[in-house]
Amino acid sequence: MPDTEEQFNALFSVSGDDRLPPDVLGELESIARVHSIPPQEVFYKWESYCIKMSSENTKLNIDTVRAFKMDIQEVLERETRGKMHTKASDRRTAHATPRGGVSTDDVFAMFEGTTPKTPAASSTSKRKAAFETPAQPKSNKTTGKTSPTDGRTPTSNGIVAAAFNERQNAGQITETLNGHLEPCEPLIAPSAEGRVKLVANTDLKKFFYKPLAMHLSEASEVLDDRIDEFASLVQQHHNLEESVFGSAASKSTNEIVAVGRLACDTPEGKLNAASAVLENSRRTGGGLRVPLQFENGVSCELFPGQIMAFRGTNASGSYFSVEEVLELPLLPPAASIPSSIESLNARLGIDDTSDINATHALNIMASAGPYTADDNLDFEPLEALCSKAADNNADALILAGPFLDIEHPLVASGDFDLPSSAPISPDKATLTDAFRWLVSEPLKRLAQQLPSITIVVIPSARDAVNKHVAWPQEPLSKKELGLPRQAKPVSNPVTISLNEVVVGFSSQDILWDLRMQEVVLGKASEPNMLNRLPRHVIRQRHFFPLFPPTERNKLPKTSAGEEPTGTPIETSYLKLGEWLNVRPDILIMPSALTPFAKVVDSVLVINPGTLSKRRGPGTYAQVALHPRKLSKEEQSEPMVGHKVFERARVDIIRI
């Protein structure tokens, strides 16, 4: 019982020091005991429940945990009734007498429709029409705001989402990082020119590759090179001789250091301590895989595709015995020359004599799609976000896809209409036209109200208007989609500089995939999962270190009950997702997990959540980035760190 209690506290507590209230802990233990499932499985079900419900119900308390318990019971009862109904139908079908059309000689209707005496076409169509479900009418988009009874499409469970204007707790701050810092204060008069200087640190031209043209030789070289690069990094970091490195698959009683990629021993299996194998590079071990056996006292976190360095032996030749896990080196933090920071401060109106206040802080807003609920294509959350950015005189607005979500029920079916104001014939309208009128128009109005704003647009693998269906992705077409002049389409993933601050962004939900695949051996290095998952990304120096990605059938289904898009990956171009020189100051990773803002390895990690959930509004992140004030000692140094995690206030806000 104490072990179970500790597991629940480690999984459900917001921070490592907090503990669950006794009544909440009792309900969670009751769920695990009644359904005979471990605490980890209870946590997975809670995360799925949070995604299904609106954002107001994600806080864990006695009321929500009882509702969660009731939901599990209802799902179990529905599954049981469905199985009983299927068995009853099978029994009725097995004993039913086959009936033909009209003729009694043609028992199994094998000759139905082939002779003049059998009017099969008419009789079959009548029988079919008698049992058909009437087709649903198209959702009408001609009248701006609609009520739930006026053409709103029910979700998969038959519940109609509440109207956006009727949402509760709009503008509520759900989490704050560095709350001692002041929030942004809008300027009385916005500056004529923008206060943000945007520079792409990623070569965007490399993302314009031809998708779906992967060669196995190129893919294997990319995977091999990554192992060899980490072997060199481990050697330099730990000051090791090259002679101590070897192949984990070679039989030897000598202790060696082996660097390789983790994988599962079967393609369809799940990685764990018993199924873990280490894949060697072709240069050091001929690409062979060897099973791993972890000795007592070895603690680490594992996931498929992770590059790891082990110290151990392979005395029998059948497995590699791991005695120590070597730490991978971190990239250096981002830094700039003092003169560059002083020139950027002058751009904000700061000199040696001026006092820094909240008006000098940059106002950066970040959000991720979907941007509309599943029952309509009104894009009201996007309209509200643009209005909020205009009212607060935002300096930068970062928008990550999906915009026109291919998993949206109306987009997937094509059963929707454009606004009546769109001068396009319904018969000639395309998804590009839908993007121009549903997404680009609110951005154009924002650009007119706030000409100094910088809008960063990042695609997603779920965007219906992006021809790059695999990750990494090329930028969206600015001209074709009618984006305003202030919009800057970038690749997915991307590393950019907003003034001196280095920002990394990927719209692919790597945190959710890592949570599904991660295995903890022994004692976890970090008990809080939301701190541990970003650390994997930072230490692996890659926006998507998981390989292969999670299978589609293991991801949450769409609202239409279909399998999700998942993570289609172009393995030959995975190097485009690597971090090359420095750690980013800010790492934005949108995820279906609980929105958060944390400092991990001196990196400010932000999950803004999704702006719209399936049944209601979501959240976004607002960053108040205060200027970097240099001391006299720092002004004489060749390079100074940015220390963004100390001078940035982050608020997670309900839209």
Side-chain angles (χ1 to χ4, degrees):
M1 183 64 69
D3 294 340
T4 304
E5 181 178 341
E6 291 300 327
Q7 292 181 42
F8 276 119
N9 279 300
L11 290 169
F12 285 87
S13 60
V14 178
S15 63
D17 299 332
D18 294 341
R19 300 187 68 84
L20 296 174
D23 52 354
V24 174
L25 179 62
E27 291 290 345
L28 294 175
E29 291 177 341
S30 174
I31 294 173
R33 185 172 57 256
V34 170
H35 297 280
S36 300
I37 55 178
Q40 187 75 43
E41 187 67 24
V42 176
F43 181 74
Y44 289 161
K45 291 181 179 295
W46 166 254
E47 288 289 340
S48 300
Y49 175 75
C50 292
I51 296 172
K52 182 173 68 173
M53 304 302 293
S54 60
S55 58
E56 288 83 7
N57 298 326
T58 56
K59 185 177 181 181
L60 185 65
N61 53 41
I62 187 61
D63 295 329
T64 55
V65 76
R66 286 175 177 171
F68 167 56
K69 184 178 181 181
M70 186 179 299
D71 181 78
I72 292 179
Q73 185 64 30
E74 291 175 354
V75 170
L76 181 62
E77 291 176 356
R78 283 198 300 268
E79 291 178 353
T80 304
R81 287 197 299 267
K83 292 178 181 178
M84 294 177 62
H85 178 72
T86 303
K87 292 180 180 179
S89 300
D90 293 342
R91 287 196 298 269
R92 288 196 299 268
T93 304
H95 298 286
T97 303
R99 298 184 183 275
V102 177
S103 174
T104 58
D105 297 332
D106 186 10
V107 178
F108 294 100
M110 295 174 61
F111 304 101
E112 188 172 10
T114 60
T115 61
K117 295 190 296 181
T118 309
S122 60
S123 62
T124 303
S125 61
K126 288 179 181 179
R127 290 197 305 271
K128 183 178 179 182
F131 294 98
E132 275 187 343
T133 302
Q136 294 182 355
K138 289 186 177 182
S139 60
N140 194 349
K141 183 71 174 58
T142 57
T143 61
K145 307 294 185 293
T146 58
S147 63
T149 58
D150 186 21
R152 298 180 74 88
T153 306
T155 55
S156 60
N157 54 8
I159 301 176
V160 179
F164 182 77
N165 290 335
E166 299 174 0
R167 68 191 187 281
Q168 298 178 354
N169 302 323
Q172 179 186 8
I173 297 176
T174 61
E175 183 173 345
T176 299
L177 180 68
N178 290 335
H180 62 281
L181 299 176
E182 295 183 19
C184 292
E185 288 187 11
L187 296 173
I188 298 176
S191 58
E193 60 179 14
R195 300 196 301 169
V196 170
K197 181 181 179 181
L198 173 66
V199 177
N201 300 331
T202 302
D203 189 356
L204 300 182
K205 294 181 180 179
K206 293 183 178 180
F207 288 81
F208 289 89
Y209 62 87
K210 183 180 180 181
L212 303 179
M214 181 174 64
H215 298 282
L216 291 179
S217 59
E218 296 176 358
S220 62
E221 288 177 3
V222 169
L223 297 175
D224 257 11
D225 291 345
R226 183 164 167 79
I227 298 176
D228 294 336
E229 290 170 3
F230 269 88
S232 300
L233 293 172
V234 170
Q235 181 181 358
Q236 297 173 8
H237 181 68
H238 293 278
N239 297 321
L240 300 174
E241 298 291 337
E242 189 173 355
S243 58
V244 304
F245 288 85
S247 171
S250 299
K251 181 178 179 180
S252 174
T253 57
N254 296 328
E255 186 180 74
I256 64 169
V257 173
V259 180
R261 177 181 293 103
L262 284 180
C264 185
D265 55 3
T266 57
E268 297 82 13
K270 182 174 176 58
L271 181 68
N272 53 48
S275 64
V277 296
L278 187 69
E279 178 183 323
N280 296 272
S281 69
R282 286 181 293 183
R283 184 178 67 86
T284 58
L288 296 176
R289 291 183 172 185
V290 58
L292 296 176
Q293 179 174 306
F294 296 90
E295 299 297 331
N296 294 332
V298 176
S299 300
C300 59
E301 297 90 27
L302 312 176
F303 61 87
Q306 183 180 15
I307 306 297
M308 298 199 73
F310 297 125
R311 190 190 299 272
T313 58
N314 187 352
S316 64
S318 57
Y319 64 87
F320 185 78
S321 177
V322 178
E323 300 173 1
E324 182 185 358
V325 180
L326 300 184
E327 185 181 28
L328 298 180
L330 288 170
L331 279 168
S336 301
I337 58 177
S339 59
S340 174
I341 292 181
E342 289 178 348
S343 63
L344 291 171
N345 286 343
R347 188 186 183 99
L348 300 176
I350 302 172
D351 53 30
D352 296 335
T353 60
S354 60
D355 294 330
I356 297 178
N357 53 51
T359 60
H360 293 130
L362 288 178
N363 186 359
I364 303 173
M365 301 172 66
S367 67
Y371 290 91
T372 187
D374 275 2
D375 67 325
N376 66 80
L377 286 175
D378 293 336
F379 283 85
E380 293 167 302
L382 178 61
E383 297 269 6
L385 182 67
C386 292
S387 176
K388 194 73 175 176
D391 294 340
N392 292 344
N393 291 338
D395 295 292
L397 176 62
I398 302 176
L399 302 175
F403 298 97
L404 271 184
D405 190 359
I406 199 170
E407 294 182 5
H408 193 286
L410 299 180
V411 176
S413 65
D415 193 10
F416 66 92
D417 297 323
L418 292 179
S420 57
S421 58
I424 304 173
S425 172
D427 298 334
K428 299 180 180 180
T430 63
L431 287 174
T432 301
D433 297 325
F435 187 99
R436 294 172 68 100
W437 285 97
L438 299 176
V439 179
S440 296
E441 282 300 312
L443 299 182
K444 286 181 179 179
R445 289 192 291 269
L446 171 61
Q448 292 174 356
Q449 294 175 336
L450 195 60
S452 61
I453 193 173
T454 299
I455 305 174
V456 183
V457 181
I458 303 164
S460 167
R462 286 163 49 184
D463 272 314
V465 295
N466 196 341
K467 65 180 181 181
H468 257 214
V469 296
W471 189 95
Q473 294 177 281
E474 67 177 23
L476 296 173
S477 175
K478 182 176 180 178
K479 182 178 180 181
E480 182 180 355
L481 299 177
L483 293 169
R485 176 181 57 85
Q486 290 81 352
K488 312 294 181 184
V490 294
S491 60
N492 175 32
V494 69
T495 303
I496 60 176
S497 289
L498 298 177
N499 291 351
E500 81 280 6
V501 180
V502 179
V503 182
F505 206 119
S506 175
S507 62
Q508 203 63 40
D509 191 352
I510 179 60
L511 298 181
W512 176 275
D513 286 352
L514 284 176
R515 194 212 69 172
M516 296 289 293
Q517 299 283 355
E518 184 196 34
V519 177
V520 178
L521 299 183
K523 184 178 180 181
S525 59
E526 170 57 55
N528 190 340
M529 180 191 66
L530 297 181
N531 281 336
R532 193 171 64 246
L533 298 181
R535 181 169 294 173
H536 293 321
V537 178
I538 296 171
R539 305 216 166 191
Q540 292 290 306
R541 307 181 177 197
H542 202 283
F543 283 105
F544 200 91
L546 185 70
F547 186 85
T550 307
E551 297 179 10
R552 297 172 57 189
N553 56 8
K554 296 180 181 178
L555 297 173
K557 292 187 178 296
T558 66
S559 57
E562 303 292 337
E563 285 190 356
T565 305
T567 309
I569 283 188
E570 285 281 352
T571 310
S572 302
Y573 295 92
L574 277 179
K575 197 170 183 64
L576 296 177
E578 290 184 355
W579 300 357
L580 300 179
N581 302 318
V582 297
R583 276 175 284 165
D585 295 309
I586 302 177
L587 180 60
I588 304 178
M589 296 188 293
S591 175
L593 299 179
T594 305
F596 64 85
K598 297 182 179 296
V599 178
V600 181
D601 289 334
S602 301
V603 178
L604 178 56
V605 182
I606 303 174
N607 170 23
T610 57
L611 195 66
S612 177
K613 296 181 180 292
R614 292 180 177 179
R615 290 173 47 190
T619 57
Y620 67 95
Q622 185 164 11
V623 182
L625 184 60
H626 292 263
R628 175 75 162 92
K629 191 69 172 178
L630 299 179
S631 63
K632 292 183 179 181
E633 293 78 9
E634 290 176 329
Q635 291 176 358
S636 60
E637 294 180 1
M639 301 288 287
V640 293
H642 298 159
K643 297 183 180 180
V644 172
F645 59 92
E646 294 180 353
R647 57 189 178 95
R649 173 192 171 113
V650 184
D651 294 315
I652 305 297
I653 307 174
R654 302 186 194 274
I655 187 62

